[in-house]
Amino acid sequence: MKFELPKLPYSFDALEPHISQKTIEFHYGKHHQTYVNKLNDLIKGSAFEGATLEQIVQKSEGGIFNNAAQVWNHTFYFESFSPNGDEDRKPSGDLLKAIEQKYGSFEQFMDDFSHAATTLFGSGWAWLIKTKDGSLDIVQKSNAENPLQDGNTPLLTCDVWEHAYYLDYQNRRPDYINAFWKIVNWDIVEKRFKQ
Ligand code: MN
């Protein structure tokens, strides 16, 4: 099975001014595409030829893992956004209740998640997850690492590799994280939470 770059659910300029068309052109068009291409090259003739992306992420190591997980993580990340929203987005329903139960308030959750994304050293991802017992947690993962490896359910992620924000925000990672909150599609996050 050959993996393909999934189509974006919005146009390249749809997330402006928070994430620019130029960043999408490189981050999605070049970085994400390259992970897909490398994965296809690496699995050719390996035990993972024919496996699903999730199976590869959960069972592989080394270069195959790095590229498979980066394909999965980027697909999940880009699917988490929607354009043309208002500036004060927040979840509703059971997800909001679960967030308030765990963090006290949505604002406190945003602070905790932003802190995890800001303080992650080097390249990686900040994640909101649903753990095996059904509770929420915020975790930092380095490089391509992914909560699926721990048997947890990813709900939301922020890519803090420099390639995700350097064209728009240079070294100002906190500014990128502030912009991130303005484009999160909470309907998608709620669907993931209910699964
Ligand atoms: Mn990235």
Side-chain angles (χ1 to χ4, degrees):
M1 184 165 75
K2 213 164 178 291
F3 291 104
E4 287 180 8
L5 183 68
K7 287 257 182 304
L8 276 188
Y10 40 78
S11 65
F12 280 28
D13 63 355
L15 303 178
E16 291 196 348
H18 308 298
I19 293 180
S20 68
Q21 173 166 348
K22 188 150 203 177
T23 288
I24 296 289
E25 283 169 4
F26 278 87
H27 195 190
Y28 167 78
K30 308 274 187 206
H31 290 278
H32 196 179
Q33 180 71 66
T34 300
Y35 293 126
V36 171
N37 295 348
K38 282 191 182 159
L39 176 63
N40 284 328
D41 286 346
L42 288 169
I43 59 173
K44 223 175 274 169
S46 83
F48 295 105
E49 207 168 8
T52 66
L53 190 56
E54 284 76 12
Q55 287 169 335
I56 300 174
V57 168
Q58 283 164 329
K59 291 177 185 164
S60 64
E61 295 174 340
I64 292 183
F65 170 77
N66 286 336
N67 285 281
Q70 285 294 74
V71 171
W72 197 95
N73 294 352
H74 282 91
T75 300
F76 188 85
Y77 169 81
F78 286 121
E79 283 175 353
S80 303
F81 302 134
S82 61
N84 306 324
D86 60 54
E87 302 282 297
D88 294 311
R89 295 185 177 195
K90 64 187 292 186
S92 59
D94 290 343
L95 175 58
L96 180 61
K97 264 184 228 158
I99 287 173
E100 288 173 344
Q101 194 170 11
K102 170 90 187 195
Y103 299 98
S105 67
F106 177 64
E107 290 68 30
Q108 186 61 53
F109 157 73
M110 284 173 73
D111 281 354
D112 289 3
F113 187 98
S114 295
H115 182 74
T118 306
T119 59
L120 196 160
F121 184 77
S123 295
W125 304 77
W127 299 85
L128 172 65
I129 59 167
K130 187 165 75 172
T131 62
K132 281 167 268 189
D133 67 13
S135 64
L136 298 180
D137 204 1
I138 295 167
V139 291
Q140 296 174 320
K141 295 282 182 184
S142 290
N143 299 317
E145 288 174 7
N146 173 307
L148 295 175
Q149 295 172 277
D150 313 318
N152 293 318
T153 305
L155 300 179
L156 178 67
T157 192
C158 185
D159 185 349
V160 296
W161 284 58
E162 283 187 346
H163 68 218
Y165 60 87
Y166 216 83
L167 289 175
D168 295 335
Y169 299 98
Q170 294 76 52
N171 62 330
R172 303 188 308 278
R173 190 191 285 186
D175 289 353
Y176 157 68
I177 295 162
N178 285 338
F180 167 85
W181 294 117
K182 294 170 183 171
I183 52 173
V184 171
N185 182 348
W186 286 104
D187 292 341
I188 297 273
V189 182
E190 285 174 40
K191 261 184 214 143
R192 293 166 178 165
F193 177 70
K194 282 178 189 159
Q195 273 169 3

